[in-house]
């Protein structure tokens, strides 16, 4: 990542494949990790959990999210709050652009 405070996502941050079909450009601060995520239609993020609090913001597209056994279809303008250590999964029903915010920092994504 660039050492200055102003970043151009496509120029300064390499895209990382989280799972097949879910690719992210990740920004890490001292307190949070922010992921700009592209999810391809039909891609599945398998159920998992982690100690981090997470907020998924749907910027575009349609995403099916399951959090702690409850499923909702999310569209642009929706946000999903996922407490730490809570099982969750997702499926991209269309191509999606998401912004995920994690607290604390996702060291495993560095």
């Amino acid at each position: 990542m660039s050492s200055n405070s102003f970043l151009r996502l496509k120029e300064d941050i390499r895209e990382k494949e989280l799972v097949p079909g879910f690719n992210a450009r990740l920004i890490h601060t001292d307190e949070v990790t922010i992921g700009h995520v592209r999810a391809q239609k039909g891609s599945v993020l398998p159920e998992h959990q982690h100690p981090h609090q997470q907020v998924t913001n749907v910027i575009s597209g349609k995403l099916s999210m399951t959090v702690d056994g409850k499923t909702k279809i999310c569209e642009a303008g929706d946000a999903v709050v996922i407490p730490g250590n809570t099982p969750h999964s997702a499926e991209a029903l269309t191509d999606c652009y998401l912004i995920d915010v994690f607290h604390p920092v996702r060291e495993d994504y560095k």
Side-chain angles (χ1 to χ4, degrees):
M1 179 168 72
S2 173
S3 61
N4 77 39
S5 297
F6 299 96
L7 301 170
R8 293 191 182 274
L9 287 178
K10 292 182 179 179
E11 295 172 16
D12 296 331
I13 301 174
R14 181 179 55 84
E15 191 170 76
K16 177 179 183 163
E17 183 178 68
L18 305 177
V19 298
F22 281 78
N23 297 291
R25 295 182 192 275
L26 300 159
I27 301 166
H28 305 283
T29 72
D30 292 338
E31 300 293 328
V32 299
T33 294
I34 301 168
H36 288 255
V37 181
R38 289 184 313 106
Q40 294 176 345
K41 179 181 178 179
S43 299
V44 174
L45 182 66
E47 184 176 81
H48 64 288
Q49 63 187 48
H50 42 74
H52 312 83
Q53 297 174 346
Q54 176 179 343
V55 178
T56 295
N57 301 278
V58 180
I59 306 304
S60 67
K62 193 178 283 192
L63 184 74
S64 175
M65 285 204 74
T66 301
V67 179
D68 205 18
K70 296 177 184 152
T71 301
K72 182 176 188 249
I73 306 302
C74 303
E75 300 183 55
D78 290 342
V80 180
V81 177
I82 305 166
N85 298 310
T86 301
H88 57 284
S89 62
E91 179 180 0
L93 302 177
T94 66
D95 287 344
C96 298
Y97 188 79
L98 317 166
I99 298 177
D100 285 336
V101 180
F102 299 93
H103 181 270
V105 172
R106 289 290 302 255
E107 295 292 337
D108 57 327
Y109 281 175
K110 285 186 176 182

